[in-house]
Amino acid sequence: MVLSMVDQGQEVTLAHIDGGRGMRSRLYSMGLVPGAAFPVLSRNGAGPVMLRVKDSRLAIGRGMAQKIIVE
Amino acid sequence: MKEKITIALAGNPNSGKSTVFNAITGARQHIANYPGVTVEKKYGTVTHKGYEIEVVDLPGTYSLTAYSLEEIVARDFLVNEKPDLVVDIVDASNLDRNLYLTVQLKELGSPLIIALNMMDAAESRGIVVDDQLLSTLFQVPVVPMVARSKQGIQECLDKVIAVAGRDQEWPPAVISYGNDIDQGLDQIETIIKRSKAFNARYPSRWRALKCLEGDRQILDFLKEDPDLGRSIEDICQATSKHMVDTLDEEPESVIAGHRYGYIVGITRKAVKRKVELRLNLSDKIDKVLTNRIIGPLLMIAILYVIYVFTFSASEVPIRVFEVFFEFLKEIVSSIIPVGNLQSLIVSGIIDGVGGVLGFVPLIMFMFFAIAIMEDSGYMARMAYMLDRVLRWFGLHGNSVIALIVSGGISGGCAVPGVMATRTLKDPKERITTLLVVPFMNCGAKLPVYAMLIGAFFSKDKARMMFILTLFSWGFALLAAKIIRSTVLKGPETPFVMELPPYRMPTLKGLLIHTWERTWYYIKKAGTVILGLSIILWAMMTFPGLSEEQERFFENERIRATKSLLTSPEIKEWIPDGKSLMELNGLYESYARANSEEEAHMITGLEDSPLFPLIKTTFLLNKGEVPERQIERHDLQAAARYLRFRDEMTGLGDRERQAALKGSIAGWLGQGLEVVTRPLGFDYRINIALLGGFAAKEVVVSTLGTAYSIGEVDPEGSNSLSERLRKDPGWNPLKAFTLIIFTMLYVPCFVTVISIRRETSWVWAGFSIGFNLVAAFLVAFIIRYAGMALGLGVS
């Protein structure tokens, strides 16, 4: 499932990032590595998705969220 | 032992790094740019226990890859400058993520201590960190800290001296990334060590790791030796293929995973979590502030409050500045005799520099409000909420900061706005943002709007201002869309940002942030504007009146004076030219005394035999009917003298107007009529707009001169408003066209210089050209659409 489809409040595990190296490395450095589990805090229509990753909150744009595969 | 120590502060964004930096260096800090890039380099010094410690604040980064300018700058500094010690600021309440950078610093072999910041925030969230154990397991000295309240700062400096003084080796950490990767690393490391590319500055294993991570900077460097490049490439490919085949993962993700594994292995022992709070305070606040419906409404409300705050708070200081510059002008005028030198200092330098510095209070309060939004964490939420909208126009959520600073809330300034675009990573989004920020309604455009709105739309001032705010936003966004789909076409960069926990800003932090930016503005205004004011003044002064014209005005004055002196009504009061000068002097003193309501000065004048004439003239001038008992021929004398005064004022105004028309700016303005005729602008407006290139508020004062109504006070330019309202050549449509043109045409000179500093002359030039064309087209459409609707027919 892609991250942009996950409902608010659900907890998911990151499977794979379908993006370029730069994007992947940036997400890794912010704690989003394959295997990491995190809840989706909010999802605002076409806007960014808000996640809790480790002890921080990340906002991820919709375009990017469509490339993040979660389980 | 060394007396001088250089330390570098490293850490994630939002780890409190700048708070630590401010706490250590206080006011002794400087800002520069790293060579060749627009990344800010902050440094400062502090003396501690006899040591002079130079502190360099590295850009906040999550990692040390080559994907962002900040990360490259940070790691180049660490490798090339070899600071004596790196102080890694780590957020104790978010340890795992923060230690990701720490691990990489260790792998790079940097001499390191960890400043475990925000211990209080961690504690309040039920996170207890055993700093001793952390230090032992990580093999790095750890200092617990609460930088906001300065706890741990002295201890940290003690530790800096102790560790830096110890002449110890810092071997790069070796972390296992699993068999397959470790094997690849060993192979590459061995080849590098044997090659000419070997360099003791870079740990070979770190370089090998970077190769497997696909780091362009390192790979490109190693590939300069083709043989070396080829063998490394082979190993990388083999490893990658193997990883994908067996684990279905790329090496980078395996490496990142192992790094976190290594970290969690340590924090599992050193960090104890009490009952996990499901929702912390920040989450609760976010439920409201970033709510789909309430969020945007609150955002507008907050922006409105900031708007009101900046304007009301800066009102008094701005007034003080004005009074000060008026006072300065009076002093100069009284010391230096009338002539070009006086004119240069008063009209060129003091008016020019004063006009720009006069905005300092406004800008300062604006920056203060912005610093509150940034330091509290709200700015990140704004970017989060607006990203969806801005994205559609080819901008980035973070562009909103630049747009607001530039005058998204009327009254900002494009110079700091251009600087604020530094937070944007993607060059195309950054350049687009800085090209459209000059369309916002900065503080200098407001006097122009105020004057024209006062003249033609005085009934709905507030509504007009609102319309203009919407118009500038609308146009800026539209222009962004146009630029992004033509000259700066490109994919949108992914939006990912951390929303830091809400924090109460500290006053010290706010003051430092406000001052940094304000000082930058003052420096710019003080230097660039000074030079430019002088040039502009010269353009508007020289060559001025021709001899013939000068003679003409002189003759007119003589004629008027003669006619007055020979008139029968006046003859009995003043016999010659000398008493006329006396009369003029007394009249002016009386008028001044009256306007300042200084009764004792009036009493002093009453003794003069000319007093009845003065008083009657003054009353006539004000349109009041003098007392009955004044004799008829005295009244006639006063009327005659008043007519003379008006004649002389009119001559002076016409002379100034003719001088302006005869100046270089005047010629340019007349020459430009060919271009501006379709907009309905004559040479007078053109001259004013030329002047506006220095600073937009100059438009008002120049228009005043061009319309020969003498001195115009830009704040209360009532007489100019009055004059334009009565002018048959003016109507609301023309005024609106000029307002829009002023809003959109060339950025002021200081902004152009700032754009150049952030990009290149090409973009600075593009900005001038693009804005001019845009302004022309929009003004043209407005004028003809308005005329088609039957507006503006006078």
Side-chain angles (χ1 to χ4, degrees):
Chain A
M1 185 163 42
V2 288
L3 180 59
S4 58
M5 305 286 281
V6 177
D7 283 332
Q8 192 162 320
Q10 253 188 301
E11 181 139 352
V12 291
T13 307
L14 182 74
H16 179 66
I17 298 171
D18 221 4
R21 275 203 151 135
M23 172 172 149
R24 270 186 288 160
S25 123
R26 180 149 179 81
L27 290 177
Y28 295 160
S29 71
M30 296 177 106
L32 279 175
V33 280
F38 51 87
V40 173
L41 295 179
S42 75
R43 186 172 68 122
N44 263 358
V49 184
M50 208 199 282
L51 316 171
R52 162 171 307 295
V53 179
K54 300 202 184 284
D55 285 293
S56 59
R57 251 158 307 161
L58 298 184
I60 293 190
R62 190 165 177 80
M64 202 173 206
Q66 280 164 344
K67 291 177 183 161
I68 297 176
I69 318 294
V70 294
E71 278 156 8
Chain B
M1 233 167 50
K2 298 167 109 177
E3 297 290 307
K4 195 171 185 290
I5 301 171
T6 304
I7 64 172
L9 301 186
N12 285 186
N14 306 310
S15 62
K17 202 160 61 65
S18 69
T19 314
V20 176
F21 181 67
N22 291 340
I24 294 181
T25 61
R28 297 169 302 276
Q29 40 178 277
H30 308 277
I31 306 176
N33 273 7
Y34 285 95
V37 290
T38 52
V39 179
E40 262 175 21
K41 178 185 185 179
K42 283 193 191 179
Y43 57 99
T45 49
V46 64
T47 315
H48 186 75
K49 297 197 169 152
Y51 286 85
E52 195 189 327
I53 304 175
E54 167 148 45
V55 190
V56 178
D57 190 17
L58 296 176
T61 60
Y62 293 107
S63 182
L64 288 179
T65 64
Y67 293 111
S68 84
L69 213 50
E70 280 85 357
E71 296 183 19
I72 295 175
V73 161
R75 82 182 194 193
D76 281 353
F77 183 87
L78 293 174
V79 170
N80 298 328
E81 310 289 324
K82 291 263 175 223
D84 297 311
L85 194 64
V86 177
V87 179
D88 180 19
I89 318 295
V90 165
D91 174 2
S93 68
N94 186 6
L95 207 50
D96 289 358
R97 217 267 324 275
N98 274 255
L99 288 174
Y100 191 75
L101 177 69
T102 317
V103 172
Q104 297 182 62
L105 290 168
K106 271 178 65 96
E107 288 181 300
L108 192 55
S110 294
L112 192 67
I113 67 172
I114 292 175
L116 199 55
N117 193 19
M118 301 196 195
M119 291 295 278
D120 54 341
E123 215 163 290
S124 74
R125 284 160 68 173
I127 301 169
V128 183
V129 184
D130 182 343
D131 56 280
Q132 295 292 333
L133 189 57
L134 183 70
S135 170
T136 317
L137 294 172
F138 230 92
Q139 294 170 315
V140 169
V142 174
V143 188
M145 185 181 271
V146 183
R148 282 168 59 92
S149 49
K150 293 206 159 195
Q151 288 173 52
I153 298 289
Q154 293 308 315
E155 290 81 349
C156 179
L157 291 176
D158 288 346
K159 190 72 100 188
V160 164
I161 290 170
V163 176
R166 232 172 6 201
D167 211 6
Q168 91 182 72
E169 289 286 310
W170 293 88
V174 176
I175 289 163
S176 169
Y177 290 102
N179 268 338
D180 300 328
I181 294 205
D182 284 352
Q183 213 169 33
L185 283 177
D186 288 340
Q187 287 170 354
I188 302 175
E189 191 184 353
T190 320
I191 317 176
I192 293 178
K193 272 185 176 160
R194 270 194 251 120
S195 75
K196 284 197 297 278
F198 173 77
N199 184 335
R201 283 176 180 275
Y202 295 87
S204 297
R205 193 179 180 81
W206 180 78
R207 273 180 164 180
L209 190 59
K210 289 289 139 189
C211 290
L212 283 179
E213 284 182 311
D215 187 295
R216 284 263 67 88
Q217 196 197 24
I218 301 294
L219 277 174
D220 287 348
F221 175 77
L222 294 175
K223 277 181 186 163
E224 278 175 23
D225 177 350
D227 292 338
L228 180 68
R230 211 168 307 120
S231 29
I232 289 177
E233 191 99 324
D234 289 345
I235 301 170
C236 288
Q237 263 166 17
T239 313
S240 179
K241 186 171 183 307
H242 185 72
M243 306 299 303
V244 175
D245 288 349
T246 55
L247 295 167
D248 193 23
E249 279 186 74
E250 295 285 339
E252 309 108 272
S253 80
V254 177
I255 292 172
H258 271 89
R259 262 190 206 130
Y260 281 115
Y262 172 81
I263 292 165
V264 173
I266 290 171
T267 52
R268 202 183 288 138
K269 291 176 196 145
V271 179
K272 295 274 169 299
R273 277 174 190 268
K274 294 182 193 153
V275 209
E276 182 140 356
L277 299 164
R278 187 78 189 90
L279 277 180
N280 60 42
L281 186 60
S282 277
D283 289 331
K284 285 181 195 151
I285 299 174
D286 263 342
K287 278 233 175 265
V288 181
L289 287 187
T290 64
N291 180 286
R292 258 175 107 161
I293 297 139
I294 310 168
L297 292 177
L298 277 172
M299 179 165 68
I300 293 169
I302 288 170
L303 290 178
Y304 181 74
V305 169
I306 289 174
Y307 177 75
V308 173
F309 161 76
T310 26
F311 276 86
S312 54
S314 59
E315 211 169 300
V316 174
I318 283 185
R319 189 79 208 112
V320 171
F321 264 65
E322 269 172 25
V323 170
F324 170 74
F325 283 114
E326 279 307 312
F327 174 71
L328 209 64
K329 271 155 71 172
E330 266 178 42
I331 289 190
V332 172
S333 306
S334 64
I335 296 173
I336 302 168
V338 180
N340 277 341
L341 182 64
Q342 192 204 63
S343 163
L344 167 67
I345 296 177
V346 172
S347 314
I349 298 174
I350 300 181
D351 270 356
V353 176
V356 179
L357 289 187
F359 279 105
V360 165
L362 187 70
I363 283 175
M364 211 160 79
F365 283 104
M366 185 82 205
F367 284 150
F368 188 75
I370 287 165
I372 294 177
M373 291 209 288
E374 281 178 342
D375 292 7
S376 65
Y378 188 67
M379 200 63 110
R381 270 73 185 182
M382 268 178 65
Y384 163 75
M385 283 187 280
L386 284 171
D387 182 62
R388 187 179 4 165
V389 183
L390 295 176
R391 179 121 313 212
W392 195 82
F393 293 100
L395 297 173
H396 190 272
N398 280 338
S399 306
V400 71
I401 302 165
L403 289 167
I404 286 179
V405 174
S406 303
I409 312 169
S410 308
C413 173
V415 176
V418 167
M419 282 153 58
T421 60
R422 289 178 180 184
T423 50
L424 296 167
K425 299 277 173 296
D426 178 71
K428 286 181 177 168
E429 285 171 349
R430 198 167 78 85
I431 293 174
T432 309
T433 307
L434 63 83
L435 287 177
V436 301
V437 294
F439 293 132
M440 305 315 276
N441 292 324
C442 73
K445 294 177 190 169
L446 299 184
V448 186
Y449 299 172
M451 189 274 291
L452 289 168
I453 290 175
F456 296 99
F457 309 97
S458 51
K459 272 187 219 132
D460 27 33
K461 278 183 188 156
R463 201 184 324 152
M464 273 303 288
M465 270 319 294
F466 185 67
I467 290 173
L468 293 179
T469 305
L470 286 186
F471 194 95
S472 69
W473 272 95
F475 192 80
L477 292 179
L478 184 71
K481 182 85 184 165
I482 293 171
I483 294 172
R484 284 289 271 148
S485 34
T486 52
V487 272
L488 285 172
K489 223 174 187 162
E492 54 184 51
T493 46
F495 176 83
V496 54
M497 72 185 297
E498 189 184 354
L499 299 175
Y502 288 102
R503 285 182 200 124
M504 186 55 91
T506 62
L507 186 63
K508 187 179 174 180
L510 292 177
L511 292 179
I512 289 178
H513 291 156
T514 307
W515 179 243
E516 269 171 14
R517 291 179 177 161
T518 310
W519 180 236
Y520 187 86
Y521 176 82
I522 295 174
K523 270 201 301 199
K524 273 271 149 281
T527 50
V528 178
I529 286 291
L530 175 66
L532 207 77
S533 305
I534 294 173
I535 294 174
L536 207 75
W537 168 84
M539 276 177 65
M540 291 173 60
T541 308
F542 298 113
L545 295 176
S546 66
E547 259 176 57
E548 199 181 318
Q549 281 171 310
E550 259 175 43
R551 220 175 306 123
F552 168 76
F553 283 109
E554 194 50 44
N555 287 340
E556 281 294 289
R557 278 204 192 86
I558 293 168
R559 192 196 48 73
T561 313
K562 254 191 197 149
S563 143
L564 176 78
L565 289 176
T566 49
S567 66
E569 306 97 305
I570 286 294
K571 251 188 179 160
E572 62 180 271
W573 288 94
I574 40 173
D576 52 23
K578 206 175 148 214
S579 7
L580 176 59
M581 276 163 77
E582 195 189 336
L583 176 65
N584 286 339
L586 285 171
Y587 181 84
E588 270 141 38
S589 314
Y590 182 73
R592 203 176 313 133
N594 255 296
S595 72
E596 283 163 19
E597 285 172 5
E598 295 195 22
H600 68 276
M601 276 178 71
I602 300 177
T603 339
L605 294 166
E606 275 168 359
D607 298 338
S608 161
L610 292 170
F611 184 72
L613 176 60
I614 292 168
K615 193 175 174 188
T616 317
T617 314
F618 183 75
L619 290 173
L620 269 182
N621 189 30
K622 273 182 32 183
E624 286 170 25
V625 185
E627 293 146 52
R628 287 256 164 163
Q629 58 263 51
I630 292 175
E631 284 182 43
R632 198 179 144 73
H633 73 277
D634 283 359
L635 201 59
Q636 280 173 340
R640 181 67 189 83
Y641 177 56
L642 187 62
R643 203 166 78 227
F644 166 75
R645 289 198 63 84
D646 288 345
E647 218 175 328
M648 291 302 263
T649 318
L651 272 174
D653 290 345
R654 269 167 62 202
E655 188 176 12
R656 265 194 297 277
Q657 184 186 21
L660 184 62
K661 199 174 177 181
S663 67
I664 300 173
W667 298 340
L668 281 173
Q670 290 166 70
L672 285 173
E673 278 189 343
V674 185
V675 190
T676 60
R677 197 163 295 133
L679 304 179
F681 297 169
D682 64 0
Y683 78 95
R684 288 176 287 204
I685 297 179
N686 291 348
I687 299 174
L689 290 172
L690 281 173
F693 186 38
K696 296 279 159 74
E697 74 270 20
V698 173
V699 170
V700 176
S701 56
T702 317
L703 263 185
T705 314
Y707 273 93
S708 70
I709 52 150
E711 293 283 299
V712 176
D713 173 11
E715 301 303 317
S717 47
N718 292 324
S719 47
L720 181 58
S721 289
E722 195 75 10
R723 171 75 177 77
L724 296 185
R725 186 170 32 230
K726 287 181 188 150
D727 193 309
W730 279 80
N731 52 53
L733 180 62
K734 181 166 176 171
F736 190 71
T737 313
L738 180 58
I739 286 179
I740 297 299
F741 194 84
T742 309
M743 179 194 288
L744 305 180
Y745 91 118
V746 289
C748 73
F749 195 75
V750 191
T751 307
V752 174
I753 296 283
S754 313
I755 293 179
R756 199 222 65 92
R757 269 176 57 104
E758 299 296 319
T759 55
S760 64
W761 275 119
V762 177
W763 286 114
F766 178 84
S767 169
I768 296 177
F770 180 77
N771 291 20
L772 270 177
V773 171
F776 186 88
L777 289 178
V778 175
F780 185 82
I781 291 169
I782 286 176
R783 179 156 189 253
Y784 282 90
M787 286 189 348
L789 292 171
L791 298 170
V793 183
S794 48

